Amino acid sequence: MTDHYSIGLTDRDRVNNAVGDGIPTGSIVLIEGEDGAGKSALSQRFAYGMATEGTDVTYVSSELEAGEFIDQMHSLSYDAVDLLLAERLLFLHANVDTHDAGPTRQLLARLVDAERLWRADVVYVDTLSALLRHDPNYEAGSAAGEENRVLQRLVTFLRRMTRGGKSIVLTVDPSGIAEDALHPLRSVADVYFDIETTAVGQEVRRSIRVRRFQNMNAPVDDTIGFSVQQGRGVSIISRTVA
């Protein structure tokens, strides 16, 4: 078993090199950032590159349905159709808008119990915060001030999944979750990327603040600048400070 899952596309961009030549196997990766920061684009780049390298990937999206996912990937010049047909990449839509009573609203339980989902080498959940906000157990825990307890149970499951070398990538929007509730996720993450955005005129500059990166395969900078462009996808940006 490989020690790292390569993010691939080394002849096209510098993303794999920027993140230490891959994601460590058996790791939990947390990508945190507010709406529009670029969490999904970064996750889609990671997932696509891994799948092209022969890694089996599952991608769960709370925002996109299958057709929208394909269109979104195509707009970034990541042609996912062949990977989907070859079952190298499995896409699943998590419908968080259901207001039905009963088991259909048990979003976290359904995520944990979806056996097919967890067969992949690397599993992406984009975004976990949306699942949390619409899950009745989290809502009840939030009302009682026990969000931390709900997340601790989830963290226990995730860590059990990673013991065999599986890696799990979670994206989170912190604006919709209590700060204390995020602590279990931040604490358990082997790799913790915090995406920051800065407006410079009409340009939005994005950077990954590397809060934690355990078992890196190659050196990783504390801050990684990147851009997201239609037709080009994710690109690493080197900025010179005058």
Side-chain angles (χ1 to χ4, degrees):
M1 181 176 63
T2 181
D3 292 332
H4 291 74
Y5 292 116
S6 172
I7 301 173
L9 305 185
T10 54
D11 59 343
R12 173 171 165 177
D13 60 38
R14 296 185 292 132
V15 176
N16 189 65
N17 177 260
V19 296
D21 293 339
I23 297 299
T25 58
S27 62
I28 294 176
V29 180
L30 181 65
I31 302 177
E32 185 175 320
E34 296 189 354
D35 184 46
K39 301 183 300 299
S40 294
L42 197 64
S43 298
Q44 289 159 10
R45 164 63 185 86
F46 283 12
Y48 177 77
M50 285 183 177
T52 63
E53 290 290 301
T55 301
D56 287 331
V57 174
T58 294
Y59 196 101
V60 180
S61 174
S62 63
E63 296 181 350
L64 303 176
E65 296 188 10
E68 295 170 323
F69 175 74
I70 292 172
D71 290 343
Q72 169 71 9
M73 295 287 274
H74 181 72
S75 73
L76 298 173
S77 291
Y78 304 142
D79 188 0
V81 174
D82 287 344
L83 295 172
L84 291 165
L85 292 175
E87 298 185 350
R88 182 66 67 195
L89 173 62
L90 172 66
F91 175 82
L92 298 171
H93 170 62
N95 181 13
V96 299
D97 293 327
T98 177
H99 297 288
D100 297 335
T104 57
R105 288 204 66 208
Q106 303 291 328
L107 299 174
L108 293 180
R110 291 169 63 193
L111 177 73
V112 168
D113 292 339
E115 182 181 347
R116 177 68 182 88
L117 181 159
W118 298 105
R119 293 177 188 170
D121 300 318
V122 183
V123 177
Y124 289 77
V125 181
D126 178 32
T127 62
L128 179 63
S129 49
L131 271 65
L132 291 173
R133 288 196 303 268
H134 291 82
D135 186 277
N137 291 327
Y138 182 80
E139 291 175 348
S142 179
E146 298 181 351
E147 308 100 316
N148 189 290
R149 178 177 56 82
V150 175
L151 282 174
Q152 284 288 4
R153 289 201 298 267
L154 176 63
V155 162
T156 299
F157 168 79
L158 295 176
R159 184 50 76 195
R160 187 166 72 247
M161 289 291 100
T162 62
R163 289 190 186 124
K166 193 183 306 295
S167 292
I168 302 169
V169 181
L170 310 169
T171 71
V172 172
D173 181 351
S175 63
I177 301 179
E179 184 74 15
D180 291 344
L182 277 172
H183 182 71
L185 291 174
R186 290 169 173 165
S187 297
V188 78
D190 304 289
V191 180
Y192 176 15
F193 293 153
D194 186 6
I195 300 179
E196 300 177 345
T197 59
T198 305
V200 180
Q202 295 185 346
E203 178 188 3
V204 177
R205 293 186 175 179
R206 295 177 169 88
S207 60
I208 303 168
R209 184 66 60 88
V210 181
R211 303 291 186 184
R212 187 181 307 118
F213 203 129
Q214 297 177 0
N215 302 317
M216 64 178 67
N217 197 38
V220 177
D221 291 339
D222 293 337
T223 302
I224 304 167
F226 73 101
S227 67
V228 180
Q229 295 177 305
Q230 188 171 357
R232 291 191 59 186
V234 174
S235 300
I236 300 301
I237 296 177
S238 299
R239 296 191 177 98
T240 302
V241 179

